[in-house]
Amino acid sequence: MDDSALSQIENGTAEEVNTVLRNFNSQNGRAFEFPDLVKDRKKKLIDGIAQKLNDPNMALCYTACLETLRILSRDPGEVEVMTTREVLKVMQRHAGLDSGVEESRDHSPSLKPDNKNVVVEALKCLCNLIYNSSAARRTCSYNGCIESIVRRLKTYRDPDLAHEVKFFDMRMLFLLTALVADIRSKIRHDLHGLTYLMETLDLIIKTSVNHEQQKGSLDTDIPLADNEVDLACEILKVLFNLTVHVDKTNLEEEEEAHFMRMVSILHDLLVCKTESSDKREELVR
């Protein structure tokens, strides 16, 4: 990206920024390293994009901005220029995860995204950075992201909440619980994560049953759509992270009830039919 393009990103209109970034994204859509984008130039690009994402008059180019950040976030080299608190806060807000812990104690703001593509791209960026950067993991573990994901988990019954948002919520939670051991107890106990995760699995199964009944099917097997299997697998991975190190020989009554319920839900999932044999194998694994 040359100086002219960087200048347009910094000073151009939403239409001009959108055009420049769409061209960059098209040329680098499959790239994982950017040796020609030296650190100072990369920082200037990211700062310019963050400035646009903070400007409500630049909504036209939000998706292109976040697509560029997603592409750049694949590269673990010099990742620190993308993991400043300011840049992460911008991504957090566009992912719909910016409601603070203190605020959530008094009221539960709506986290339903206004623009699915923007939210999904922001979640993808955060997932890449959490995977590649310990600084991003630390920040996203304690800036309200986890609380907001769990709170949005309670709204998964809402048909207006896009599947992709649910999926990348769970992908992000999986990465955090896999890589930051300190937050597992908080999610299990303080945020009642096991309860909400199992309720979501139960919802996936029941939604399929209801769909079959509405079609008048007499088949008692439950066909899960491919995207439902994908979501269920991400949830199961989070549940594994949250429970793998729990002492099963010394469970409290509530924890024992959680594990018994989990066994029941896992049984229901294992006897489910799926739309494709590949997804069936993924679910069993």
Side-chain angles (χ1 to χ4, degrees), residues 38-55:
V38 296
K39 185 174 182 178
D40 289 345
R41 191 176 292 270
K42 186 176 183 179
K43 185 178 186 306
K44 187 174 181 180
L45 170 60
I46 291 168
D47 289 346
I49 289 174
Q51 180 184 31
K52 299 307 177 187
L53 288 170
N54 275 321
D55 188 343

Side-chain angles (χ1 to χ4, degrees), residues 92 99-102 104-105 137-151 173 176-177 180-197 238 241-243 246 254-255 258:
Q92 180 184 3
S99 298
V101 179
E102 293 299 321
S104 69
R105 290 174 180 168
R137 288 170 218 152
R138 288 193 301 271
T139 299
C140 291
S141 294
Y142 302 105
N143 65 356
C145 276
I146 294 171
E147 290 82 358
S148 293
I149 289 175
V150 173
R151 201 156 53 248
L173 195 58
L176 285 171
T177 53
V180 187
D182 294 347
I183 65 173
R184 296 170 190 163
S185 178
K186 173 184 176 180
I187 295 172
R188 281 201 318 270
H189 299 296
D190 298 348
L191 301 178
H192 309 291
L194 293 181
T195 297
Y196 297 123
L197 289 164
V238 176
N241 289 342
L242 293 177
T243 59
V246 174
E254 183 180 0
E255 288 180 316
H258 282 318

Side-chain angles (χ1 to χ4, degrees), residues 154-168:
K154 304 175 192 178
T155 72
Y156 278 15
R157 190 181 298 273
D158 184 350
D160 294 329
L161 186 62
H163 164 77
E164 291 89 343
V165 174
K166 302 175 187 179
F167 177 84
F168 285 104

Side-chain angles (χ1 to χ4, degrees), residues 1 5 8-9 15-25:
M1 184 171 286
Q8 278 190 301
I9 292 170
E15 290 81 2
E16 291 170 339
V17 173
N18 195 56
T19 299
V20 170
L21 292 181
R22 291 290 184 194
N23 288 336
F24 176 86
N25 297 344

Side-chain angles (χ1 to χ4, degrees), residues 201-202 204-206 208-209 220-225 228-229 232 264-276 279-281 283-284:
L201 286 176
D202 205 32
I204 291 171
I205 296 170
K206 289 179 178 177
S208 294
V209 172
T220 56
D221 290 325
I222 306 168
L224 292 178
E228 292 172 333
V229 175
S264 176
I265 291 173
L266 288 172
H267 169 269
D268 291 343
L269 281 172
L270 287 173
V271 299
C272 288
K273 291 199 306 185
T274 59
E275 289 184 345
S276 65
K279 293 299 178 183
R280 172 67 184 167
E281 291 181 10
L283 187 60
V284 171

